[in-house]
Amino acid sequence: QSVLTQPPSASGTPGQRVTISCSGSISNIGNNTVNWYQQLPGTAPKLLIYSNNQRPSGVPDRFSGSKSGTSASLAISGLQSEDEADYSCAAWDHSLTGVVFGGGTKLTVL
Amino acid sequence: QVQLQESGPGLVKPSQTLSLTCTVSGGSISSGSYYWNWIRQSAGKGLEWIGRIFTSGNTNYNPSLKSRVSISVDTSKNQFSLKLSSVTAADTAVYYCAAGSWFILWGQGTLVTVSS
């Protein structure tokens, strides 16, 4: 049981816009920034979004993040087949004094 | 370009101590102010943060693992290490080392199986 809650799966067709949600509480998302990670099959996770909505160098602007209250979202526009991966959110939790992750969302490009 | 590489036994017996090392190449582990992290992922499950060590040596651990975990840094070897004691089958996972507060850089991961 993960501290942050994500839907286990999401899907879309090429070119579509999809969003993945991440729900937490006041002790994590509510008072700290959210990061998102992309994990392609058989590879290590990669930082996709940091500080709620910032993209590291090299991440396409098709990927965007937002946060409101105790929830965050990752949006992927212009969906491509290579976006098929697992996506996980994470945040610092000041009650647990540690980093907490969501359970991950498997994105399928139909 | 900084790279991380995990190393250690792929098989550990139940009740023993799991020991892994992360070697940092392409940069100094003691330059700048960085957190060095361990994260694991059991088969088909989500990521679990194990803990981290700051450049100064300060540590933070996942409360659910705190009694069994120790993370240390060896600046002379440009490495940081993980020890997890009293392991059980539930500790079988791919273990990753990662750099920074936001895990900006990851190692490729190493599978550790706990089995007799």
Side-chain angles (χ1 to χ4, degrees):
Chain A
Q1 189 83 353
S2 301
V3 174
L4 304 181
T5 301
Q6 296 180 237
S9 63
S11 63
T13 56
Q16 263 191 335
R17 182 178 187 271
V18 298
T19 61
I20 296 171
S21 62
C22 175
S23 177
S25 68
I26 197 73
S27 66
N28 41 66
I29 294 178
N31 276 288
N32 295 288
T33 60
V34 178
N35 307 312
W36 290 90
Y37 303 88
Q38 178 193 57
Q39 188 173 21
L40 298 170
T43 69
K46 166 192 164 185
L47 179 64
L48 195 65
I49 297 286
Y50 67 95
S51 292
N52 302 328
N53 54 20
Q54 302 299 301
R55 286 186 307 277
S57 175
V59 173
D61 59 6
R62 302 187 295 106
F63 295 91
S64 62
S66 63
K67 187 186 101 168
S68 178
T70 59
S71 293
S73 290
L74 172 70
I76 309 172
S77 60
L79 197 62
Q80 299 179 4
S81 57
E82 55 260 41
D83 298 333
E84 192 161 280
D86 290 326
Y87 293 85
S88 297
C89 58
W92 181 262
D93 188 301
H94 62 246
S95 293
L96 298 174
T97 319
V99 177
V100 292
F101 281 98
T105 299
K106 183 176 181 58
L107 175 64
T108 300
V109 181
L110 302 170
Chain B
Q1 159 183 355
V2 178
Q3 293 184 314
L4 307 181
Q5 178 68 60
E6 306 88 350
S7 60
L11 181 64
V12 181
K13 288 181 167 49
S15 80
Q16 292 191 341
T17 296
L18 178 160
S19 295
L20 295 175
T21 295
C22 182
T23 300
V24 180
S25 60
S28 172
I29 199 170
S30 55
S31 67
S33 299
Y34 257 116
Y35 281 110
W36 304 97
N37 303 266
W38 287 99
I39 296 159
R40 70 181 183 180
Q41 185 172 35
S42 303
K45 296 192 176 179
L47 298 163
E48 180 180 31
W49 179 76
I50 298 170
R52 68 185 186 182
I53 187 164
F54 196 55
T55 309
S56 63
N58 291 342
T59 55
N60 297 110
Y61 299 128
N62 185 322
S64 68
L65 300 170
K66 189 172 184 176
S67 64
R68 299 192 292 129
V69 172
S70 176
I71 297 175
S72 60
V73 64
D74 186 337
T75 54
S76 67
K77 294 182 179 179
N78 229 30
Q79 297 174 334
F80 63 105
S81 299
L82 167 71
K83 290 188 186 301
L84 181 65
S85 63
S86 305
V87 297
T88 69
D91 295 309
T92 294
V94 174
Y95 286 75
Y96 296 99
C97 56
S101 300
W102 300 314
F103 314 144
I104 192 168
L105 192 60
W106 295 67
Q108 65 184 30
T110 187
L111 174 63
V112 178
T113 301
V114 179
S115 174
S116 55

